[in-house]
Amino acid sequence: MSQSRAPEKQGETSKEKILASGERMFGRFGFDATTSRKIATDAGVPVALINYHFGSKEGLYRAIFEKRSPAIRDQRVVGLQLARSEADWDKRVELVVKALIVPMFGLRNDGNDGAFGRILARELSDPSSEGRGIFREMFDPVAEMMLDALAECFPDWTRAEVNWAYQTMLGAMMIVMMDNGRIARLSDGTADSEDPETAAIHIAAILTAGLKHRDRGQTSGS
């Protein structure tokens, strides 16, 4: 509703208002449950302006990714470049893990209440996402770089092992990105996804150890 609208910036255009409100609404309700009317009400603009600026609800959704995803991709590329330049193997594995999760966990501290992080996590698991092609177009190229970096760290692993390791890392990342307070509740507040820096330290340490010490006895021939 209109009371959830963030304070407007002076001189903010209707297009900027729609982008910000779309990010909030998609982050809160997901793509299917978010209507153009909800977004327009939150932005305080006529519904017709959504189609005028973006063509459709999906056009707005895609525009949010086009605006926000380059920074995440750039951070991952820089993180992978740093990892590949690291001579120490233990440190290199850790840096590859951090290149994946740190840019995402940082989204929980962004200026729109972590909404884009939730959008990303939902899109990754949404059965309709393949039809939209957003991850294929905007994130798969960097995912291929991540897979290559993992393969370089573990040259004796099969391609399947590398891919399953990557998917496991994504799964751990998504749990934190989509957390609604359950982590804090179960831990009596000792672990909290609202502290993404600490979460990144713990998750990176666990994933790094898992990669380095996994038993390949049942998978090396896959």
Side-chain angles (χ1 to χ4, degrees):
M1 304 301 290
S2 59
Q3 66 186 22
S4 67
R5 196 185 314 156
E8 294 179 6
K9 298 176 183 177
Q10 189 170 9
E12 192 176 34
T13 67
S14 61
K15 186 174 184 179
E16 290 167 339
K17 292 176 186 177
I18 293 168
L19 275 168
S21 291
E23 187 172 315
R24 280 194 296 277
M25 296 298 100
F26 288 129
R28 187 176 303 169
F29 302 111
F31 179 81
D32 290 333
T34 298
T35 64
S36 293
R37 186 166 299 279
K38 278 182 181 177
I39 296 167
T41 299
D42 184 77
V45 302
V47 176
L49 279 181
I50 294 177
N51 285 347
Y52 175 77
H53 286 301
F54 302 101
S56 64
K57 182 181 83 169
E58 184 170 333
L60 169 59
Y61 188 71
R62 179 174 289 272
I64 293 167
F65 277 87
E66 290 171 346
K67 176 185 176 183
R68 300 281 255 143
S69 61
I72 298 171
R73 293 198 307 265
D74 290 349
Q75 289 178 56
R76 283 195 176 146
V77 169
V78 170
L80 289 173
Q81 290 172 338
L82 182 63
R84 282 173 155 162
S85 68
E86 174 59 58
D88 181 83
W89 180 78
D90 289 299
K91 185 64 175 176
R92 187 176 342 107
V93 175
E94 179 185 358
L95 289 173
V96 169
V97 172
K98 287 182 175 179
L100 176 67
I101 67 172
V102 169
M104 283 291 286
F105 284 11
L107 290 174
R108 290 195 66 104
N109 274 342
D110 70 13
N112 210 355
D113 193 29
F116 187 62
R118 292 191 295 276
I119 292 171
L120 270 173
R122 282 196 175 103
E123 183 67 9
L124 189 61
S125 59
D126 188 337
S128 301
S129 65
E130 275 300 300
R132 288 189 285 270
I134 291 173
F135 261 81
R136 185 167 55 251
E137 297 168 23
M138 301 186 193
F139 290 98
D140 279 10
V142 181
E144 292 290 344
M145 292 178 60
M146 180 69 61
L147 289 165
D148 289 343
L150 278 172
E152 290 168 9
C153 289
F154 303 97
D156 58 329
W157 285 15
T158 66
R159 193 66 177 174
E161 288 177 308
V162 171
N163 275 267
W164 282 120
Y166 174 67
Q167 297 302 327
T168 300
M169 291 160 64
L170 285 181
M173 184 178 70
M174 284 181 62
I175 289 295
V176 176
M177 296 307 303
M178 293 299 294
D179 178 55
N180 59 5
R182 186 168 187 258
I183 294 173
R185 186 175 72 252
L186 289 174
S187 68
D188 293 327
T190 59
D192 193 342
S193 61
E194 293 302 317
D195 180 3
E197 291 84 4
T198 301
I201 291 170
H202 283 283
I203 297 297
I206 293 166
L207 291 174
T208 301
L211 290 172
K212 291 194 295 186
H213 301 293
R214 60 169 297 213
D215 180 1
R216 297 182 61 235
Q218 297 182 48
T219 64
S220 58
S222 61

